[in-house]
Amino acid sequence: MIALEEVGWRYDVVVPNLLANEHLEPTYLAINPKGRVPAFIVHGNILTETTAILLYIAESVPSAMLLPPVSDGIKRAQIMSRVSWLASSTLGACNRFAMPGNACLDEAARPSVQQSALRSIERDMLIMEGEMPDVGYWFGEFSIADIFAFFIFDVAGRFGIDVSAMPQLSELIARINTRPAVIEAVGWTARASLALAPRDAT
Ligand SMILES: N[C@@H](CCC(=O)N[C@@H](CS)C(=O)NCC(=O)O)C(=O)O
């Protein structure tokens, strides 16, 4: 949603309730047989995998500068390297933490799966911390790598990860948080979460 706001496209959002396994129901599996979110439908085409979706949006609107031009091939590749890494290593660990039953059959082992997942997320975030500049964004100008970093930081906070050891990353997130596109997307998400909250939630 942040990328879509950044490029100024109009879009609709449907949020399957993962805890109710709506992403494994036939309606959603017809869109993404892998049973994973996000899926992006554009001009009748279905795109899955966050890396491909972010790349497609960034390349479709070069003027939004979510990726450097092809002439800056190394920086583009570095950004894509971080996006792929977050989508595989970090997001994978987030999934193991949120849904440990998908990662191990032994119910008694689930807390241990979650502990190791948290450690993995924390390790990845500390690597990010070491790469963050004092000013600007992860790779100078704002890019899709920052969008992904923002998402992971938000999820990590919900999982209870202590970000006090990540001051540079925290400051980057604070800078990202001031972008109008981010304010719009985060506001929408907050309203949607309230709407999706279980009835007994406060
Ligand atoms: N490789 C996919 C992974 C996406 C992913 O892990 N999505 C999570 C939510 S953030 C999900 O759908 N989890 C549901 C499940 O694993 O059953 C991508 O990069 O888009």
Side-chain angles (χ1 to χ4, degrees):
M1 284 178 65
I2 293 174
L4 291 169
E5 291 289 343
E6 288 282 350
V7 300
W9 281 354
R10 292 180 54 219
Y11 57 91
D12 290 321
V13 186
V14 178
V15 187
N17 184 340
L18 299 189
L19 296 178
N21 279 332
E22 282 179 7
H23 61 304
L24 302 178
E25 286 176 8
T27 322
Y28 188 75
L29 291 178
I31 297 167
N32 184 1
K34 290 171 284 185
R36 291 282 169 88
V37 296
F40 180 51
I41 305 179
V42 55
H43 304 309
N45 303 291
I46 297 173
L47 264 184
T48 60
E49 299 301 317
T50 311
T51 307
I53 295 169
L54 288 174
L55 179 66
Y56 172 76
I57 296 170
E59 289 195 325
S60 297
V61 188
S63 59
M65 295 192 295
L66 294 179
L67 266 178
V70 177
S71 56
D72 199 350
I74 281 294
K75 196 174 273 187
R76 269 175 81 92
Q78 285 171 332
I79 290 168
M80 290 316 298
S81 138
R82 300 316 184 279
V83 168
S84 316
W85 170 61
L86 293 177
S88 51
S89 170
T90 327
L91 198 52
C94 291
N95 263 331
R96 290 198 298 284
F97 179 80
M99 283 169 266
N102 289 349
C104 77
L105 296 174
D106 179 3
E107 204 159 330
R110 288 182 192 169
S112 155
V113 167
Q114 287 188 303
Q115 275 310 109
S116 100
L118 277 188
R119 211 175 294 167
S120 193
I121 299 166
E122 205 162 357
R123 189 195 55 213
D124 287 355
M125 291 177 76
L126 286 169
I127 293 171
M128 291 163 76
E129 169 71 12
E131 293 192 348
M132 291 307 158
D134 292 336
V135 290
Y137 296 101
W138 195 349
F139 287 91
E141 301 301 321
F142 185 76
S143 77
I144 54 176
D146 298 293
I147 295 177
F148 219 146
F150 185 85
F151 173 75
I152 293 294
F153 191 89
D154 179 65
V155 171
R158 290 165 203 264
F159 290 172
I161 288 183
D162 176 15
V163 295
S164 60
M166 305 160 192
Q168 297 284 104
L169 180 56
S170 302
E171 281 180 26
L172 175 97
I173 300 303
R175 290 194 289 277
I176 296 175
N177 237 327
T178 64
R179 296 179 71 85
V182 176
I183 292 169
E184 185 62 33
V186 169
W188 191 96
T189 310
R191 290 191 296 278
S193 307
L194 282 179
L196 289 170
R199 279 175 204 280
D200 58 351
T202 52

